[in-house]
Amino acid sequence: MRWISTAVLLVVAAACNENTGPQGTAEPLALIRPQQAPDMSALSRALPGFGGLFVDHGVPTVYLTDLGQRGLAERLLGGFARARGATGIRVLAGRFAYRDLDKWFQDVSNEVFAQGRVVFVDLDEAQNRVLVGVERGASHANVRALAARLGVPDEAIAVRDAEPIHYMATLRDQVRPVVAGLQINFGNFLCSIGFNATSGGQASFVTASHCTNRQGGVEGTQYFQPLASTANSFIGTEVADPKYFRGAGCPKGRKCRFSDASRAAYAAGVPFALGGIAATSGPNNGSIDITGTIAITAEGDAVVGDVVNKIGRTTGWTQGTVSATCVNTGVSGTNIVQLCQTFVDAGVGGGDSGSDVFALAGGSATLLGDLWGGNSAGTMFVYSPIANIESELGPLTTF
Amino acid sequence: MEAHFLGRTIVFDIVIARDDGTIAWRRLEKGVGPSILQVRMLKPGEVLEWRDTWLARQPADYRAQGILPSDATEPLRTPWVNFTVTP
């Protein structure tokens, strides 16, 4: 036998490959390409009285202001209909020609956003109208008055209430009010928020103890959400992180705690939602896009076989089965043993430390603890039970 | 360039495989580590290197691969390197 020294060199590199894509080229008339959606402008030129095209329950349906053009419409759109599995097209009597609607759409679009609280402007092919969506409570009459000034017939415009459309935020974006599962930054490290809490009336959040400047002991770690480099991102300061102890049930030569958890006090004026967890679209799909929130309505514990969840900034929402409870867990590369921890067969990745762990029932969450670690394959995570956390950080109000 | 690494001390894995593909040794085969992410700014041309030692039990042909977890879906992996352990 002999020692083999295995040196492995890992080089991190990045390459920027700018692909500008094909230059714009003139498309031939889409009318002759049955697999593609017809070009509305081309149809408008080729079909007198064309007022719009849409598919109604699988049947291509066309508005015509001149129903005498039905035959031409069937010839032009027959291939498109057959390609979609329809035997033919349906013709409806339209009030307005597409070319007029298109002009009114452009005119209204150019002007109406200046009124504010306008969500969208659409040439609604299915209604043979220009459709304007405004936020609930915004004036419909003002939109109609503007359309009239622009020469748009009142019958050609429809106005309806619409939900405002926002950029979709991710777990790594700046999100207010602050909720569990979001990315936090301290120093040159990234972790996740475990859950919001109040302690003796102090507005706080809990994350992992190792997500502080020093694991165990209070150093006043400053946290930013999502990054220190982002404007107005300072959210709070570490205020509780008990030191690790030796003896008293801690294995020889090791130092221990019952939770890898710390508490930070929110800075004044930082909005947060007590009991709120950022929700993505579902478990185990890899998404980190926020689609809503989950409300914590209880605290609890889990037993082997229970299905539990976590949401964190790296792997998003993962869900799996508890495989072991109250495990004294040695932390790789350290002399730390975390006492009485829970193992879960579910995905985890670097940056998920601190994440909320919860059980779901009927859309509401029972808070179980905070995630702090996992195996190297990213298939198993470990969390500190909420009872352990509160035994070390003190009583917390978490919802 | 901003690079993300797992761990307060950067975590890396090394896999040693036999000719038949079975794993002879894996540095991080067992154990649980903190899921914290470290952000590092690398200068152009900067090289980071990690090393560990493995005690071979049998002379044979082996191959080795280094693995660097981050917050990417797949970790960075070095190409496999072949080597022989002689009696």
Side-chain angles (χ1 to χ4, degrees):
Chain A
M1 258 193 309
R2 56 185 276 209
W3 286 94
I4 301 297
S5 178
T6 305
V8 178
L9 180 69
L10 299 168
V11 179
V12 180
C16 179
N17 181 12
E18 188 176 356
N19 183 355
T20 56
Q23 298 300 307
T25 55
E27 285 286 321
L29 274 184
L31 300 176
I32 60 173
R33 291 184 165 186
Q35 299 296 335
Q36 295 184 0
D39 181 291
M40 297 293 175
S41 298
L43 261 178
S44 190
R45 290 192 297 273
L47 181 57
F50 171 70
L53 171 71
F54 64 104
V55 175
D56 183 15
H57 295 89
V59 179
T61 302
V62 62
Y63 278 108
L64 293 176
T65 58
D66 176 4
L67 293 176
Q69 300 297 329
R70 174 190 292 269
L72 178 58
E74 288 171 343
R75 288 196 297 280
L76 289 170
L77 294 167
F80 173 67
R82 286 189 292 278
R84 302 184 74 89
T87 56
I89 66 168
R90 180 185 301 129
V91 174
L92 299 177
R95 291 277 313 270
F96 307 104
Y98 186 89
R99 68 165 66 90
D100 292 331
L101 289 171
D102 192 37
K103 179 184 183 303
W104 296 331
F105 161 73
Q106 294 293 345
D107 291 346
V108 171
S109 179
N110 286 343
E111 300 290 334
V112 76
F113 283 96
Q115 292 191 347
R117 304 185 70 189
V118 172
V119 179
F120 65 82
V121 181
D122 177 39
L123 195 171
D124 187 350
E125 295 92 344
Q127 297 298 324
N128 193 228
R129 299 285 190 281
V130 172
L131 175 62
V132 179
V134 298
E135 292 180 23
R136 202 173 307 281
S139 169
H140 292 204
N142 287 351
V143 174
R144 290 191 172 282
L146 171 70
R149 286 199 299 277
L150 293 170
V152 181
D154 193 57
E155 301 80 15
I157 194 146
V159 184
R160 70 170 168 83
D161 290 338
E163 290 297 319
I165 297 169
H166 304 285
Y167 283 119
M168 185 168 278
T170 76
L171 297 168
R172 302 174 193 176
D173 290 328
Q174 188 170 62
V175 176
R176 301 291 183 273
V178 179
V179 288
L182 300 178
Q183 171 177 298
I184 50 173
N185 168 219
F186 70 100
N188 62 323
F189 297 100
L190 299 176
C191 288
S192 299
I193 288 185
F195 50 88
N196 290 319
T198 58
S199 173
Q202 189 173 47
S204 312
F205 64 87
V206 169
T207 187
S209 170
H210 73 262
C211 294
T212 62
N213 289 341
R214 180 171 180 168
Q215 184 169 5
V218 176
E219 314 82 38
T221 305
Q222 294 198 318
Y223 293 99
F224 300 84
Q225 198 289 311
L227 293 167
S229 57
T230 306
N232 303 314
S233 61
F234 175 64
I235 59 167
T237 304
E238 173 200 9
V239 292
D241 184 12
K243 291 188 173 176
Y244 281 71
F245 62 88
R246 297 178 184 275
C250 185
K252 283 181 187 171
R254 302 291 174 133
K255 56 182 184 179
C256 296
R257 267 184 54 182
F258 288 90
S259 76
D260 185 341
S262 62
R263 182 172 66 87
Y266 274 112
V270 175
F272 70 100
L274 190 66
I277 300 173
T280 59
S281 55
N284 302 329
N285 64 13
S287 174
I288 60 166
D289 292 336
I290 299 171
T291 58
T293 56
I294 297 170
I296 297 169
T297 57
E299 293 179 4
D301 53 14
V303 298
V304 171
D306 278 348
V307 173
V308 304
N309 308 265
K310 85 94 186 51
I311 295 177
R313 60 80 63 195
T314 300
T315 58
W317 183 350
T318 61
Q319 182 183 76
T321 305
V322 173
S323 62
T325 58
C326 209
V327 184
N328 292 344
T329 310
V331 182
S332 180
T334 75
N335 66 343
I336 290 172
V337 172
Q338 295 289 162
L339 300 171
C340 205
Q341 306 297 294
T342 304
F343 287 10
V344 180
D345 291 329
V348 62
D352 283 334
S353 274
S355 301
D356 49 278
V357 179
F358 57 97
L360 261 183
S364 58
T366 297
L367 181 64
L368 300 175
D370 80 317
L371 178 154
W372 59 263
N375 62 354
S376 62
T379 57
M380 181 275 280
F381 72 70
V382 187
Y383 75 87
S384 297
I386 185 67
N388 295 13
I389 294 171
E390 295 201 39
S391 75
E392 294 192 326
L393 298 184
L396 301 170
T397 301
T398 56
F399 60 94
Chain B
M1 168 190 175
E2 182 177 299
H4 291 182
F5 302 101
L6 175 64
R8 293 192 78 124
T9 301
I10 295 173
V11 172
F12 66 99
D13 200 1
I14 298 172
V15 178
I16 308 291
R18 302 182 187 90
D19 257 359
D20 62 3
T22 58
I23 303 300
W25 180 68
R26 180 156 200 165
R27 184 174 185 269
L28 299 180
E29 182 180 13
K30 293 177 181 172
V32 170
S35 299
I36 188 173
L37 198 64
Q38 182 175 153
V39 181
R40 289 271 296 267
M41 296 304 294
L42 302 182
K43 301 183 186 81
E46 183 174 355
V47 174
L48 300 176
E49 189 173 320
W50 293 270
R51 296 170 183 270
D52 205 351
T53 302
W54 164 64
L55 179 63
R57 293 176 182 273
Q58 290 182 332
D61 291 329
Y62 294 97
R63 55 194 187 126
Q65 183 181 57
I67 300 172
L68 197 53
S70 71
D71 58 346
T73 308
E74 286 296 320
L76 293 172
R77 297 173 189 272
T78 66
W80 287 97
V81 176
N82 295 309
F83 63 97
T84 302
V85 176
T86 56

